[in-house]
Amino acid sequence: MEKKRVVVGGWFDLPRLGPEVWSTLVRKQGVVYDKSTGFKFDAGTDLQGAVRTLRSAGVEVELTLKCWICGKMACPGCPYLSSCDRASVSGFCLCADHSPEKSVWGAYTRRFDVDLKS
Amino acid sequence: MWSEKYRPERPDQLIGNEEARLALTVWLSTWKPGTKAALLMGPPGTGKTTCVNLLARANGMNLVDLNASDVRTKDKLQRRMGEAMATVSLFGERSLIFLDEVDGLAGRADIGAVEFIKESVKESQNPIVMAANDPDSDEIKKLSSACVPFRFRPPPPREVEMYLREVARGEGIKVGEEELRGYVVDAAGDVRQAINLLQGSQQASPGEGDSRGRYKDRDRSASEALNGFFGAADKEEAMASLRALSMSPFEKVRELHRSIVKSGLPAPEMAKALEAVSRADVLIGKMMKGGEWRLLRYLDRIFVEELYPVVKGAAVKYSGQDDLPFPVLARVWNDSKKIREVSLRYAAKAHTSGMSARSQDIPYVFALCSKKKFREELEHLLNLDSDPDVLESYDKFLTKEAAR
């Protein structure tokens, strides 16, 4: 089985898996597809379903979340790594630089307004 | 309750589902008549309803909140939604129409409701937001062409920890790192539950900063919360204990039932207590059958209003996860097996479902069995007279019922 690390919210490519798998992923499970950039899991994606579909097609997906505040990879070194089911939680998290101990609440809420304005 | 005190007041103060919240905010700000409706999908407790409430407030919109489980027919929907859809205030202010639990529209009573909603989306002068727990239901599939989907999921643990730290900071308390992470893991993405666990720990031992590991063990947590409920000084404390209980509704009913049956309460109190638990069980059944997830909010209320006054001061204790004594278990199994058997036979003759027969008809049928003629006719009709085993059980059951 091919292993693939996928960043939620980032573009990734897949080997050719056939029209049925493509259709299930894109039409039923809300995976975003662009001919030039590939596939993307976003807020509209049924992540659990997509991971299941890919597994049955021979691709084992390891999901990684991005930091909501700075956009860096959030999962490396996370104390909850073993207990966090990344396919069932929402698509952003907090990285080590913006870990909860560092009183990041203000930065977290501000980010929403910044993104909204942009 | 801290979960109320620290309830978010703006959409940016929610945690998790950042992308969905942003997209929903943009959808609302760019909405014009003819735009597709928003469909929020996700499990209960992920912030769908809160997000809609906060968005309406942030945009100065009047929220017209309807629950599809209550307003199920086309006529009712037309009556309740019709005016809200067509009306814009003199100053151009719009309402936000929120139709919750649209996956609860199922069955014959709802014929036409889904089509009506689809038509309404095209004609409405006000934005329509719908919410559903089960994205795979048939109703959602039918509605999807008229909607923009937004998926809501539980927030990741690190964000829950961030929020808990913010609550702890607001309350001026110090909580150990390991203890805090224990609450985050136990709450499994439910922010309210995490806050309740934190508050419960502080109330259990005021002034004790680091009670590390107290809730690490699930059994121990259940034991503390349930014993806190049974021994609570008042209803408020009983409610706080229940909310700190990290258990599914089914488990809650099972553990309370188990504790009461083993408690040695006098028969009249035991009957009242079990009646309350049975009401809660019926509520869960209704919730699961019709997808009426909003009923979940009444579960703890039933325990506090109906069960707590009965068990208060009665030295009922949490019995632990061990099973009931075999004789009690055997009695419970046998009784339910007998009732099920008789109910199914009755249901076949009465053209009703086994569940309806059991919950609605059978109590009256048993009461009528006090008349000999009726009883004989019923036994014959249900073929109980040709099945000595069932007839014997049924006889015993009736005798017991009559004695009761």
Side-chain angles (χ1 to χ4, degrees), chain A residues 75-116:
Chain A
C75 294
C78 174
Y80 298 102
L81 203 57
S82 59
S83 60
C84 175
D85 176 8
R86 264 109 56 212
S88 67
V89 297
S90 63
F92 284 92
C93 194
L94 298 167
C95 66
D97 292 341
H98 296 101
S99 61
E101 308 90 80
K102 296 180 181 167
S103 303
V104 290
W105 176 244
Y108 178 83
T109 52
R110 269 196 303 279
R111 183 74 219 177
F112 187 84
D113 293 329
V114 171
D115 273 22
L116 198 58

Side-chain angles (χ1 to χ4, degrees), chain A residues 5 10-11 13 37 40 44 47 61 70 74 101 109-110:
Chain A
R5 178 174 283 194
W11 293 100
D13 57 352
T37 42
K40 185 167 81 167
L47 270 181
V61 171
C70 66
E101 308 90 80
T109 52
R110 269 196 303 279

